[in-house]
Amino acid sequence: MKPSTILAILLILPIFSSAPVYFFGRIGMLRSKGKPGEIAFFLALASVLITFIFFALAVNEFFKTGPIDIYYGSIKLSFDAISLVMSGTLLLLTFVVILFSPVYLSEELNQEKYYAQVLVLMTSILGLTCATDLFNLYAWYELMAISSYSLVSFYCKTLEPLEAGIKYLVQSAAGSSFIILAIAILFGGTGEVAIPDLQNAVSGNSTAIIASVALFVIGYGIKAALVPMHFWLPDAHCQAPASISALLSGIVIETGLIALLRSLSVFKNTSLPIGTLFLIFGALNMLVGNLSALRQKEIKRMLAFSSITHMGYIVLGVGFALTSATSAQMSDGIFIHIFNHAMMKGLAFLCIGALFYYLKIAHGSREPISVEDLNGISQHYPLFAFCLSVAVLALGGLPLFSGFISKWKIMASGAVASGAWNAILIIFLGLNSVLSLGYYAPLVNRMYRIKGAGADVIAEKQTVSKMIIFPLVILTVGIIFFGLFPMVLDRFSEAAKNAFYTMFY
Amino acid sequence: MISKIIIFGIVGLMGIGIYCLMITRNLPKVIVALQVLIKGAMIAIIYAGDISGNMDLAQSMALTIIVADTIVAVIGLALAIQAREKTGSSKIQSISNLKK
Amino acid sequence: MSLETLIPSLILFPWLGSILVWAMHDRNEKRIHMTASVVSIICALVSIQLTFQIGNQKIVYYTFGAALGELSFSADAMGVILVLIANVIGSLAVIFSMDYMQGERNLSRYYAMILLFIGAMSGLVLTANIFIMFFFWEVTALCSYQLISFYNDDPNAVRGGLKALLMTQFGGVGLLFAALMIFNQVHSFDLNVFAEAAVNVDIEQGVLALIGFSLIIAAAAKSSQFPFFTWLPDAMEAPTPVSALIHAATMVNAGIYLLSRFFPAFAAVPAWKETMIWVGLIGILLTSILAITTYDLKRVLAYSTVSQLGYMFVAIGSGSVLAGQFHLLSHAIFKALLFLAAGAVIHACGTRDMRSMGGFFKRTPFVSTSFLIGALALTGIPILNGFWSKELILESVHKESSTLVLILMLISVGLTAIYTLRCFKMVFMGKNDYAHLHPSPPAMKTVLGILSIGALTSWIAISWFSESLKQTLPYHAIESLNVTEMAHHIFSDPITCFALGITTIGFLIAWLLPKKEFPESLLKLSANSFGFDSITSGVVQSIIASAERIRCIQTGILNWNIFGLMVGLLGVLIILFMGR
């Protein structure tokens, strides 16, 4: 098979399979009595697995011959190392999310819509990471946004998910209009939208260029949850189904950041302080995310704020890389952290989802899981308690787990460049990491109590389905494995780092 | 002269859109404000095509934006209607339960 | 066995044991006790084997990845001695736990964490890569936190655990920063590369000072020194064997280890050594007074641990790494002995409050004698190991530091005697109100016996100790001593007589101290650790208050969210125009 064919199939397979998933899933739902979502689930799983095969082929080709390009008319899509890391993360996360879903959603109607939309979301992210012109980037981005709006409001029987969906939609669409305006400014000035052409055409620091940088930063910054454009995130991530929260936190906001970086690479020949901008956003994100999470009672909301913090770590790494070429040479921590964060946050959300299912849905309740609900769950659900402990301790940056390694790498990349501000920001990152343990660690203590507050609910313990255990175990093993053997990822992160370096230097 | 009017129009439309988004307390109106905002950006794209002489590309971009923006409006209104069914009002204050 | 297999087995074997124990859940209690003991005893034997390999070549396993350095280890004497302490006392603590923890729930978690800790401690002191050192440093913090809050249902235990975690992590930022600055300067994480660069003055003095002081912060937090000394007393909610192992004999020594290891690099940095002396000294004086005023048996021992660690700080600050390391060894033995004997007492009577104890000497002579041996070693009574190492420290202070420091040190020797005798009097003398005491089981007695012998004899090893340190640490300026030389050194110095005299006075004061309770205000002040707890809680409260304030910006109203967006746009535009 030609490399371009492989890439074409990789990109279109999920979106084309979403139609049969919806269609047959609908038929299956109307016919079956017992398990309405079964057909849609199997089709979606098959689609993800086949996509994964093509992904593996594409990776193989990438390491043999370098980036894979395909052309549709004047549009060029290129599968480079950054696309590789992002798609790998996406596929892993989608796989576990889909595996997790049939039991978790078994009480819901409209499961076929869920699976179909997840597949559309997947295609849009695969495509976005391969886009090489600004407008194409925007188009994929809009597709991703549209498919995630209604996933956020999937529980449409209650008001809060609708509220979260509306807020998310309005803010995200406002951001889109900013992006369009930014593209229009560049397009009007040069007549180009392809990033390599624009890189050559754009230089200087006129007001128009500054305006387009700012509009890009705000527009994509909304999706990447940069403070103060983050207000939609806690609402959306805590109201979506846990599996969707895992996807949103684990990959969607990071994709927003990648889109932002690709767009800003247009300005590599200008002398604007883009790196400083990222440093400031990184510091703000860490602080606001941590302080807001500190007193949350609702765990999904706490985890949502923690996503803002982790975006802060990643954005800080980007800032280090953009302010100094030596740091950029060591910026692989950014990509490793994106991958690790997807696993850690994915695991945390899926554990909360599993607990939500067994403690709440199975008893006919829809109350969100609060910190009190965790009291003593290790006595009845030892596996969930263990997995959630691993997830939160990894998020807090303790060693043995992968979050420690990538956080260190980000700090090391900042440390190679001398400068008082880098040193201060590294200390600030370290202190924020300590602060974040202030809300993660008590969760572990609660889970390993012997007496639980919700003893009456736990008393009728359910047998845990293997379908729910399997995804959790995959992610837990991954977090510990990559915490002890981080060098396994070096090959990919090195390549991504080089691609990132050439984008800006 | 024409170009100044157009730029004024773009800035005006987007300004009105943002301003309305910041002060409107009615959900359907918020969606309308969003539409105004995006329309302003769309005119910018077409104008950019005009001054750079690449009208074909501008046309196809504008069409894509129209599609995307319609879908956004549809989903937004659908969500707004459902929210209104739950609360009985289309005020923004009635959908501000998620905070802090 | 060769070094290539010894070192990884010291880390991996307990870790595998930890996974094994964790996987056993709580199904068969006896089997968990047995497995954990067998694993820890094997570790102890392997660590003894390692002492024959001191000074062997450095070994490198593989590259750990970009920005992480190489997984390299070196068996120098300083590390090997700490490995020996961690593994031998670790195995004794595990054996002690067989009786002490009988019938507890969640035993698999308890032993898994202890074994994980033992492996991590070995890794921490054997590695020659500062990133790997930070890695193990944080693993020990994780284990310590989990074990302090082992009784998760007790809010005090949870609070103590979190306090220990957050305070040591705060110090951990110091080590992290130092490690990254070292990387910035020498582009390597190898400790030896850095040490050479520092000794050859290849590093700018200002940066070197920055690194040195960050390391003091890290060490002070980990070793619970001033101003971070408040976490260790609160860590006493842990099961007593854990207190003996982690919070007396090993983990808290990591800070001392860190400073001793880096000593030659920073010895020339102005005010570095003086800072260390004063950090140690203030800690000694504060905690000695606190130890006199508390009524909790374990807290007395915790305060005394802080003050003994302070002695080591002073020793290193006075330039005598040998005295510091030798006291570290003595202290590990006698403090483990004291804690475990106290554990036996607590096990017997079921309380930690010394006011309701008394008269144990007649009821449990074995336990009492071993506690007495530990207590005498702590106060520095001749021929016990504490005497020799403490006198070595005083001698180095006499030689190197100012008279003020020496006087304060001598005062603290007296205070040590006061709190030790007071504690002994309250627990073991007087009358006993207990109708029924749990007898001490054989495993406990064995462990106490072994440690008592250690406290009586470990000082004989001085010639091996100093010789191997001297051989493997060329930059540390260590003189080799044998027993007669040491005796000559100590007895020819008039300070020894002073110290013994002051100890006697301290004993007299403690003996004559009225049995009355201390005034309310003093007790309140000591419960608050002289206001340092208020500072900690003040910091926590202000963080919580700012967290509450910052949550208000999440208004939940769409219009305000859009407003936030515009604020962002404005901010970005301002920054871009300013940086143009």
Side-chain angles (χ1 to χ4, degrees):
Chain A
M1 230 187 296
K2 277 199 321 198
S4 58
T5 327
I6 294 174
L7 182 58
I9 296 176
L10 175 65
L11 292 181
I12 58 173
L13 188 83
I15 198 164
F16 276 15
S17 56
S18 75
V21 165
Y22 179 72
F23 182 70
F24 292 110
R26 187 83 194 160
I27 292 176
M29 194 207 75
L30 293 176
R31 286 220 182 134
S32 79
K33 294 278 182 291
K35 291 178 177 169
E38 214 171 23
I39 295 175
F41 163 68
F42 281 117
L43 285 174
L45 189 64
S47 167
V48 171
L49 289 175
I50 297 171
T51 313
F52 188 80
I53 293 171
F54 283 96
F55 170 71
L57 290 173
V59 171
N60 189 29
E61 286 296 328
F62 173 81
F63 280 113
K64 261 194 287 186
T65 58
I68 308 169
D69 298 339
I70 45 172
Y71 295 88
Y72 293 109
S74 62
I75 298 169
K76 176 187 165 197
L77 292 170
S78 169
F79 183 85
D80 67 356
I82 295 179
S83 332
L84 189 158
V85 170
M86 296 302 290
S87 347
T89 312
L90 168 75
L91 283 168
L92 173 72
L93 205 56
T94 322
F95 174 66
V96 291
V97 159
I98 290 197
L99 267 187
F100 180 82
S101 298
V103 178
Y104 177 65
L105 293 178
S106 57
E107 311 277 314
E108 313 297 329
L109 297 170
N110 300 334
Q111 289 177 45
E112 71 286 346
K113 286 181 193 157
Y114 169 91
Y115 291 113
Q117 286 187 48
V118 168
L119 289 174
V120 175
L121 185 65
M122 198 168 123
T123 288
S124 63
I125 294 174
L126 286 172
L128 190 149
T129 56
C130 294
T132 62
D133 76 59
L134 288 181
F135 190 75
N136 199 225
L137 204 60
Y138 160 77
W140 289 113
Y141 168 85
E142 199 63 42
L143 182 64
M144 176 176 93
I146 288 170
S147 56
S148 49
Y149 296 147
S150 37
L151 281 173
V152 166
S153 317
F154 184 72
Y155 292 136
C156 55
K157 295 280 174 288
T158 41
L159 178 64
E160 280 80 11
L162 293 172
E163 176 188 340
I166 293 171
K167 286 181 182 170
Y168 178 30
L169 180 136
V170 172
Q171 290 173 55
S172 177
S176 297
S177 68
F178 286 178
I179 297 166
I180 297 169
L181 186 60
I183 294 174
I185 292 172
L186 290 177
F187 179 52
T190 62
E192 305 282 354
V193 285
I195 291 171
D197 299 337
L198 279 169
Q199 283 178 340
N200 298 326
V202 175
S203 61
N205 49 14
S206 65
T207 310
I209 287 175
I210 288 182
S212 60
V213 171
L215 289 169
F216 273 129
V217 169
I218 301 302
Y220 286 119
I222 291 174
K223 190 60 61 132
L226 304 182
V227 173
M229 289 85 80
H230 69 288
F231 294 109
W232 63 274
L233 183 140
D235 302 346
H237 289 208
C238 76
Q239 293 303 324
S243 49
I244 296 304
S245 308
L247 275 178
L248 290 181
S249 272
I251 191 79
V252 171
I253 50 175
E254 283 80 357
T255 311
L257 180 67
I258 295 295
L260 176 57
L261 290 177
R262 294 252 200 226
S263 309
L264 290 183
S265 69
V266 164
F267 304 97
K268 79 175 193 180
N269 292 325
T270 64
S271 56
L272 295 171
I274 296 175
T276 316
L277 218 52
F278 276 92
L279 291 179
I280 294 170
F281 276 124
L284 270 179
N285 263 43
M286 292 191 295
L287 190 68
V288 171
N290 266 334
L291 286 179
S292 308
L294 196 61
R295 303 281 288 164
Q296 292 297 335
K297 290 277 169 286
E298 198 185 320
I299 296 184
K300 273 175 82 181
R301 206 167 167 81
M302 181 191 282
L303 290 174
F305 277 112
S306 128
S307 293
I308 294 177
T309 308
H310 278 265
M311 272 318 278
Y313 302 149
I314 296 169
V315 166
L316 198 63
V318 172
F320 288 145
L322 295 190
T323 44
S324 137
T326 21
S327 293
Q329 293 284 12
M330 286 188 55
S331 60
D332 52 339
I334 300 167
F335 299 97
I336 298 191
H337 199 70
I338 288 178
F339 178 71
N340 286 340
H341 178 248
M343 286 204 296
M344 301 183 294
K345 199 48 74 56
L347 179 61
F349 271 120
L350 293 189
C351 284
I352 297 299
L355 288 172
F356 182 57
Y357 181 76
Y358 286 109
L359 297 182
K360 303 285 180 174
I361 296 183
H363 299 87
S365 161
R366 290 282 168 148
E367 288 285 303
I369 294 266
S370 73
V371 284
E372 271 88 19
D373 290 322
L374 292 184
N375 291 354
I377 57 161
S378 69
Q379 298 298 309
H380 293 283
Y381 300 104
L383 185 86
F384 293 165
F386 179 71
C387 292
L388 188 54
S389 306
V390 168
V392 294
L393 293 177
L395 284 169
L398 284 177
L400 294 182
F401 311 122
S402 57
F404 174 78
I405 303 282
S406 42
K407 223 178 261 184
W408 171 274
K409 285 199 164 195
I410 287 175
M411 289 191 258
S413 81
V416 285
S418 299
W421 278 108
N422 277 26
I424 291 169
L425 283 169
I426 287 169
I427 294 177
F428 189 63
L429 201 167
L431 292 178
N432 265 294
S433 208
V434 177
L435 180 58
S436 72
L437 279 173
Y439 53 91
Y440 292 130
L443 300 181
V444 180
N445 290 109
R446 282 183 183 275
M447 286 188 277
Y448 283 94
R449 283 190 193 174
I450 291 172
K451 294 186 214 93
D456 47 330
V457 180
I458 297 177
E460 343 158 17
K461 182 193 165 190
Q462 316 263 320
T463 43
V464 177
S465 157
K466 290 216 170 42
M467 289 293 281
I468 269 193
I469 291 177
F470 189 54
L472 300 185
V473 170
I474 294 178
L475 290 174
T476 310
V477 170
I479 290 171
I480 297 174
F481 179 80
F482 292 120
L484 295 176
F485 304 99
M487 52 280 179
V488 179
L489 295 172
D490 274 1
R491 197 176 166 209
F492 306 103
S493 61
E494 286 284 311
K497 174 200 82 186
N498 291 333
F500 178 58
Y501 186 79
T502 47
M503 262 164 66
F504 284 95
Y505 288 99
Chain B
M1 186 59 202
I2 295 284
S3 69
K4 271 189 187 152
I5 293 175
I6 294 176
I7 291 177
F8 184 76
I10 295 167
V11 172
L13 278 178
M14 293 194 77
I16 291 170
I18 286 290
Y19 179 71
C20 290
L21 281 178
M22 281 198 281
I23 60 150
T24 312
R25 301 267 162 156
N26 182 311
L27 262 185
K29 283 186 188 166
V30 164
I31 306 286
V32 171
L34 209 55
Q35 289 293 307
V36 172
L37 181 63
I38 297 176
K39 292 303 179 292
M42 206 161 70
I43 293 174
I45 280 277
I46 295 168
Y47 178 62
D50 183 35
I51 57 171
S52 68
N54 200 345
M55 206 56 201
D56 294 349
L57 193 53
Q59 255 177 14
S60 58
M61 289 199 272
L63 279 175
T64 317
I65 295 168
I66 289 174
V67 173
D69 140 56
T70 313
I71 299 175
V72 169
V74 167
I75 297 179
L77 285 172
L79 293 176
I81 289 170
Q82 289 214 25
R84 187 181 166 159
E85 276 174 12
K86 301 276 183 309
T87 60
S89 99
S90 44
K91 289 263 187 258
I92 275 192
Q93 286 91 332
S94 65
I95 57 156
S96 58
N97 301 323
L98 300 169
K99 56 188 162 198
K100 288 209 164 178
Chain C
M1 274 197 283
S2 72
L3 204 59
E4 275 81 6
T5 50
L6 276 174
I7 287 181
S9 58
L10 271 171
I11 300 164
L12 293 180
F13 188 68
W15 281 15
L16 291 177
S18 151
I19 296 172
L20 183 71
V21 171
W22 188 290
M24 288 163 85
H25 289 297
D26 272 354
R27 276 189 287 274
N28 186 335
E29 192 189 323
K30 210 162 185 185
R31 206 185 297 156
I32 292 182
H33 285 304
M34 285 316 290
T35 318
S37 318
V38 169
V39 170
S40 65
I41 290 169
I42 293 175
C43 288
L45 295 176
V46 174
S47 72
I48 291 168
Q49 178 107 54
L50 185 70
T51 53
F52 299 109
Q53 303 274 351
I54 290 179
N56 243 333
Q57 79 286 14
K58 184 177 121 178
I59 40 178
V60 174
Y61 288 98
Y62 51 77
T63 308
F64 208 57
L68 305 174
E70 289 159 333
L71 189 58
S72 57
F73 293 96
S74 66
D76 59 45
M78 203 188 282
V80 171
I81 287 161
L82 261 169
V83 168
L84 192 68
I85 294 173
N87 283 278
V88 173
I89 296 186
S91 68
L92 293 176
V94 169
I95 296 170
F96 191 87
S97 305
M98 282 169 70
D99 287 326
Y100 189 85
M101 297 299 285
Q102 211 165 31
E104 294 281 352
R105 293 178 75 176
N106 288 333
L107 274 176
S108 60
R109 188 158 60 89
Y110 173 79
Y111 282 124
M113 282 297 159
I114 288 193
L115 291 175
L116 190 66
F117 170 80
I118 293 175
M121 195 66 206
S122 301
L124 166 62
V125 292
L126 286 176
T127 183
N129 172 325
I130 192 160
F131 163 70
I132 310 285
M133 187 191 253
F134 180 63
F135 176 89
F136 286 119
W137 180 278
E138 301 281 273
V139 178
T140 57
L142 170 68
C143 299
S144 153
Y145 142 70
Q146 273 295 307
L147 285 166
I148 295 169
S149 55
F150 177 69
Y151 300 116
N152 279 307
D153 291 275
D154 176 1
N156 282 334
V158 172
R159 205 177 307 130
L162 289 175
K163 189 173 181 183
L165 178 71
L166 294 179
M167 282 179 105
T168 51
Q169 288 279 311
F170 183 81
V173 176
L175 178 58
L176 171 118
F177 182 68
L180 288 171
M181 288 316 279
I182 288 173
F183 183 57
N184 174 289
Q185 292 294 314
V186 298
H187 299 287
S188 158
F189 287 112
D190 196 315
L191 290 179
N192 301 320
V193 173
F194 168 68
E196 251 168 60
V199 171
N200 299 335
V201 205
D202 290 343
I203 297 175
E204 205 188 310
Q205 283 305 302
V207 178
L208 197 64
L210 197 61
I211 299 174
F213 285 105
S214 322
L215 286 176
I216 291 188
I217 292 177
K222 194 77 164 177
S223 294
S224 188
Q225 291 296 303
F226 174 82
F228 303 105
F229 64 92
T230 54
W231 71 260
L232 191 63
D234 288 352
M236 290 301 124
E237 303 294 334
T240 307
V242 170
S243 308
L245 173 63
I246 299 183
H247 304 119
T250 50
M251 189 189 83
V252 288
N253 291 339
I256 311 292
Y257 167 77
L258 190 74
L259 293 178
S260 315
R261 184 136 247 276
F262 282 101
F263 176 75
F266 303 110
V269 171
W272 191 72
K273 290 201 280 190
E274 286 72 18
T275 311
M276 219 179 330
I277 291 181
W278 284 102
V279 163
L281 206 52
I282 296 173
I284 295 172
L285 293 172
L286 286 179
T287 50
S288 303
I289 297 169
L290 288 172
I292 296 174
T293 52
T294 184
Y295 287 105
D296 181 329
L297 175 55
K298 281 183 79 179
R299 280 181 93 91
V300 173
L301 296 178
Y303 286 128
S304 106
T305 305
V306 177
S307 83
Q308 296 303 309
L309 291 168
Y311 276 82
M312 297 174 213
F313 262 66
V314 173
I316 302 167
S318 314
S320 178
V321 173
L322 175 67
Q325 289 291 309
F326 197 49
H327 196 57
L328 189 153
L329 174 69
S330 310
H331 174 252
I333 296 171
F334 70 66
K335 193 49 67 65
L337 173 62
L338 282 171
F339 262 114
L340 291 179
V345 170
I346 294 165
H347 179 75
C349 67
T351 174
R352 285 166 27 190
D353 192 336
M354 296 195 292
R355 278 169 294 193
S356 53
M357 295 180 180
F360 273 90
F361 210 93
K362 287 196 194 94
R363 302 288 294 270
T364 57
F366 188 85
V367 172
S368 311
T369 315
S370 46
F371 191 94
L372 184 62
I373 292 173
L376 293 178
L378 171 64
T379 42
I381 297 300
I383 88 143
L384 287 145
N385 62 4
F387 165 74
W388 301 101
S389 50
K390 196 178 276 187
E391 297 304 334
L392 275 182
I393 291 178
L394 289 177
E395 192 209 343
S396 70
V397 172
H398 185 198
K399 262 199 300 203
E400 298 288 332
S401 297
S402 62
T403 325
L404 178 62
V405 175
L406 186 65
I407 291 170
L408 290 175
M409 285 294 278
L410 286 173
I411 292 175
S412 79
V413 168
L415 291 174
T416 310
I418 296 178
Y419 70 70
T420 314
L421 187 66
R422 168 176 172 270
C423 164
F424 188 81
K425 213 171 79 177
M426 289 183 83
V427 177
F428 294 95
M429 321 284 265
K431 268 199 303 217
N432 175 14
D433 306 334
Y434 291 100
H436 175 70
L437 284 179
H438 291 281
S440 296
M444 282 189 182
K445 284 188 176 168
T446 321
V447 170
L448 293 178
I450 294 172
L451 284 171
S452 305
I453 295 169
L456 284 165
T457 57
S458 77
W459 55 277
I460 298 172
I462 180 70
S463 96
W464 167 79
F465 190 89
S466 57
E467 188 56 39
S468 44
L469 277 178
K470 185 184 175 183
Q471 264 179 20
T472 51
L473 301 167
Y475 295 121
H476 283 67
I478 285 165
E479 55 168 338
S480 73
L481 282 176
N482 60 28
V483 176
T484 43
E485 278 166 354
M486 178 169 73
H488 177 74
H489 265 290
I490 287 173
F491 289 115
S492 66
D493 194 325
I495 293 302
T496 308
C497 302
F498 271 116
L500 287 174
I502 289 170
T503 307
T504 322
I505 296 171
F507 277 150
L508 279 177
I509 294 175
W511 193 254
L512 301 174
L513 206 67
K515 231 190 157 180
K516 259 193 333 193
E517 298 229 341
F518 291 105
E520 194 65 31
S521 54
L522 184 62
L523 287 181
K524 227 181 215 167
L525 203 60
S526 90
N528 191 1
S529 305
F530 293 120
F532 282 93
D533 266 347
S534 317
I535 294 175
T536 320
S537 62
V539 170
V540 171
Q541 288 307 323
S542 64
I543 290 176
I544 287 177
S546 52
E548 285 296 344
R549 228 169 288 139
I550 219 159
R551 280 177 69 188
C552 295
I553 64 169
Q554 189 79 28
T555 52
I557 294 172
L558 192 52
N559 305 123
W560 283 108
N561 296 356
I562 301 286
F563 179 72
L565 213 125
M566 296 317 289
V567 170
L569 183 63
L570 197 66
V572 171
L573 281 173
I574 290 173
I575 294 165
L576 286 175
F577 273 110
M578 268 168 47
R580 176 154 80 161

